[in-house]
């Protein structure tokens, strides 16, 4: 089987994003099991249904990247007990214009980290609801909601927290087997 091409969508625009750091560590841990390609969301305009007939170029680029990948991996923080607005906006764009849902039939993994005690649990539950609405199947378990702590991942992107490394390894094993099934 060819190596799965994974479209990586990061729900934070922040330069020093912990979720971007986590995404890098997951890619390093996965080695050559997947080919990752980030699908950027920073340049997407706010979705406006009036633009459906003349869809924005950045939106078309986003949709094409989603369509080209075999599966998706969302890595997102939690904002106000939900997903960041920029991520919801990206999903709205990818699912439109009506009849042209680029997410249809895709599979996805969902992980994330926030400093809060529940480490993105609420955001991930909301994201699962949103993804169901755009016909994306999400790996049910293991849930990987990480309470961010300084030093879990070093400056070189290596996971130094052994328990976290084992959790992410188990996630990657299940994700790979599920995509292959
Ligand atoms: C937050 N943060 C946050 N954290 C959390 O665990 N639960 C929450 O409900 C919220 N709400 C929230 C709202 C807004 C508007 C901001 C800006 C932040 C904290 C947030 O998760 C933290 O800043 C993360 O570090 C953001 O992720 P990145 O950018 O580091 O990947």
């Amino acid at each position: 089987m060819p190596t799965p091409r994974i479209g990586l969508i990061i729900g934070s625009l922040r330069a020093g994003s912990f979720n971007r750091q986590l995404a890098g560590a997951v890619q390093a841990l996965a080695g050559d099991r997947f080919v990752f390609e980030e699908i950027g969301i920073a340049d997407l305009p706010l979705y406006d249904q009036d633009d459906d007939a003349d869809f924005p170029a950045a939106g078309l680029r986003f949709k094409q990247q989603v369509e080209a990948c075999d599966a998706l991996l969302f890595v997102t923080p939690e904002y106000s007990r939900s997903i960041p607005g920029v991520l919801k906006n990206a999903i709205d764009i990818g699912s439109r214009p009506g009849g042209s849902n680029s997410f249809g039939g895709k599979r996805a993994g969902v992980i994330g980290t926030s400093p809060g005690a529940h480490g993105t649990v609420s955001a991930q539950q909301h994201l699962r609801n949103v993804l169901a609405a755009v016909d994306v199947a999400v790996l049910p378990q293991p849930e990987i909601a990480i309470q961010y702590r300084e030093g879990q991942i070093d400056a070189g992107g290596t996971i130094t927290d052994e328990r976290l490394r084992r959790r992410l390894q188990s996630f990657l094993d299940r994700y790979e087997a599920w995509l292959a099934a």
Side-chain angles (χ1 to χ4, degrees), residues 12 14 16-20 77-81 113-116 119-120:
S12 170
R14 195 168 76 86
S17 164
F18 301 146
N19 285 277
R20 177 168 294 283
E78 180 168 295
Y79 278 7
S80 309
R81 295 287 183 269
T113 185
S114 279
T120 72

Side-chain angles (χ1 to χ4, degrees), residues 6-142:
I6 308 298
L8 180 65
I9 299 182
I10 299 173
S12 170
L13 307 186
R14 195 168 76 86
S17 164
F18 301 146
N19 285 277
R20 177 168 294 283
Q21 189 185 13
L22 173 63
V26 166
Q27 286 179 76
L29 191 63
D32 60 5
R33 297 161 78 176
F34 306 108
V35 174
F36 287 95
E37 181 187 0
E38 181 170 356
I39 306 180
I41 63 172
D43 62 337
L44 295 176
L46 287 177
Y47 175 74
D48 181 343
Q49 198 171 0
D50 284 341
D51 295 336
D52 275 6
D54 184 19
F55 216 69
L60 291 174
R61 183 273 309 159
F62 179 80
K63 287 172 67 64
Q64 282 160 3
Q65 278 188 282
V66 169
E67 288 166 22
C69 67
D70 297 314
L72 296 158
L73 179 63
F74 290 86
V75 186
T76 186
E78 180 168 295
Y79 278 7
S80 309
R81 295 287 183 269
S82 186
I83 58 173
V86 288
L87 178 55
K88 178 61 163 60
N89 183 60
I91 295 170
D92 289 342
I93 287 173
S95 71
R96 291 277 146 175
S100 166
N101 174 17
S102 300
F103 289 106
K106 295 284 180 195
R107 294 186 188 202
V110 170
I111 65 173
T113 185
S114 279
H118 301 292
T120 72
V121 166
S122 298
Q124 291 190 29
Q125 287 298 328
H126 287 194
L127 181 54
R128 284 167 186 265
N129 279 352
V130 172
L131 291 175
V134 298
D135 192 24
V136 173
V138 179
L139 177 68
Q141 291 289 341

